[in-house]
Amino acid sequence: MPRFRQILDSMAPYKPGKAVAAPDGRSYKLSSNESPYDPLPSVVEAVAEGARQIHRYPDAGSVALTEAIAARYGVPAEHVATGPGSVTVAQQLLEAVGEPGAEVVYAWRSFEAYPLLADLAGVTSVRVPLAGEDHDLDAMAEAVTDRTSLIFVCNPNNPTGTAIRRRELTAFLDRVPEDVLVVLDEAYREYVRDEDVPDGVELYRDRPNVCVLRTFSKAYGLAGLRVGYLIGHEPVASAVRKTTVPFAVNHLAQLAAVASLQAEDELLDRVERVVKERTRVSEALAAQGWTVPHSEANFVWLRLGERTADFAAACAAEGVAVRPFHPEGCRVTIADPEANDAFLAAAASFAHRTGES
């Protein structure tokens, strides 16, 4: 047999959210934090027109997209790097810092890809337990050693939906050594409504060791095309560009992302609808007796402990797919009102049947 890296023997591959169906055929996928809305007509038109050029390689430098992102945020184009989804950009960052013995610090539970990406890059994960449902920034700062190369801060956090406020985050950044890269993973930034939750793009400007990850997969509804990006100072963005696979962001994805930025007002109107549904779902769950952390993302979190698998199975029986993280809890994507109502009915039925919530 061919010889492979030993780490592969202990690694479980990333598991995407699943779809389920009830016996009557009803199916609501609330397990992957996808947008419930179809792409905008202008985005579809750009992709359809671009399909005439798919016999050509894409622009390896994503120049038009890079310039559009830079213009959107008022940053130099040299501070932008793109990739096929922000998770891949995170992988590129880890490859850039992945010297033997290097450590990466992150909260746990947080984005489930962090451990996988760290293992693949050959760096050591230092997982810092959450304080309730929130990042324990004091403990994370104390976990930094001379071996720490990178810190992930997922804000809002996936899967709990909780967000770190400005005072706490800036105090934490002040404690991090200047040679440690802090990655503010802001995949759900567009859903934030708490004005005290800082915009990472503003924080990075005078902090050379801070960068920001964003994605077009969530609010912009391009999950099927895979487009993500980093905003950071030139040495950081340059490191990402050096570790990228050639032609990583395909031609149609680049066109769709640029068209989405041009239609941002229309897209963000859709985001506002999701935010309103988030409030409605959270209030309905609270009325049923559930404890629901305040979410600034496009999902809600239920800490269920040993009931996690049973709850997910009960939802699946009603055609509602949620994302279980056994034995901690379930993450539930906010979708359209019909899907959200189906979930709320399943949650109420589970609470009634088990006598607890």
Side-chain angles (χ1 to χ4, degrees), residues 28 34 45 50 56 109 114 135 140 170 172 176 198 213 216 238 241 257 264-265 268 277 301 313 317-318 334 344:
Y28 303 101
E34 298 157 326
E45 182 179 348
R56 305 292 187 188
R109 175 170 292 274
Y114 293 157
H135 279 66
M140 289 179 67
T170 54
F172 170 74
V176 176
L213 294 183
F216 285 92
S238 176
R241 288 191 287 269
E264 191 170 52
D265 289 344
L268 295 183
E277 278 294 289
W301 169 252
E318 300 299 325
I334 300 299
L344 288 171

Side-chain angles (χ1 to χ4, degrees), residues 89-110:
V89 181
Q91 181 180 21
Q92 293 165 221
L93 283 167
L94 287 169
E95 290 173 352
V97 303
E99 298 287 353
E103 295 179 347
V104 54
V105 174
Y106 51 86
W108 197 252
R109 175 170 292 274
S110 192

Side-chain angles (χ1 to χ4, degrees), residues 200-220:
V201 175
E202 297 306 315
L203 293 178
Y204 108 95
R205 294 182 189 275
D206 60 356
R207 296 176 184 269
N209 69 324
V210 172
C211 66
V212 181
L213 294 183
R214 297 276 177 92
T215 182
F216 285 92
S217 294
K218 310 303 181 186
Y220 290 89

Side-chain angles (χ1 to χ4, degrees), residues 249-283:
V249 183
N250 74 68
H251 178 59
L252 300 183
Q254 292 183 39
L255 292 175
V258 171
S260 294
L261 287 173
Q262 293 171 346
E264 191 170 52
D265 289 344
E266 193 174 356
L267 278 166
L268 295 183
D269 177 67
R270 293 179 168 191
V271 171
E272 193 60 36
R273 287 183 244 166
V274 172
V275 170
K276 289 179 180 178
E277 278 294 289
R278 179 181 72 195
T279 300
R280 184 178 74 89
V281 170
S282 297
E283 291 176 350

Side-chain angles (χ1 to χ4, degrees), residues 1 25-26 35 50 92 106 128 137 176 178 188 214 224 230 252 270 274 279 282 300 315:
M1 292 292 291
R26 288 179 303 139
S35 170
Q92 293 165 221
Y106 51 86
V128 179
L137 293 180
V176 176
E178 294 180 353
Y188 303 95
R214 297 276 177 92
L230 169 143
L252 300 183
R270 293 179 168 191
V274 172
T279 300
S282 297
V300 294
C315 289

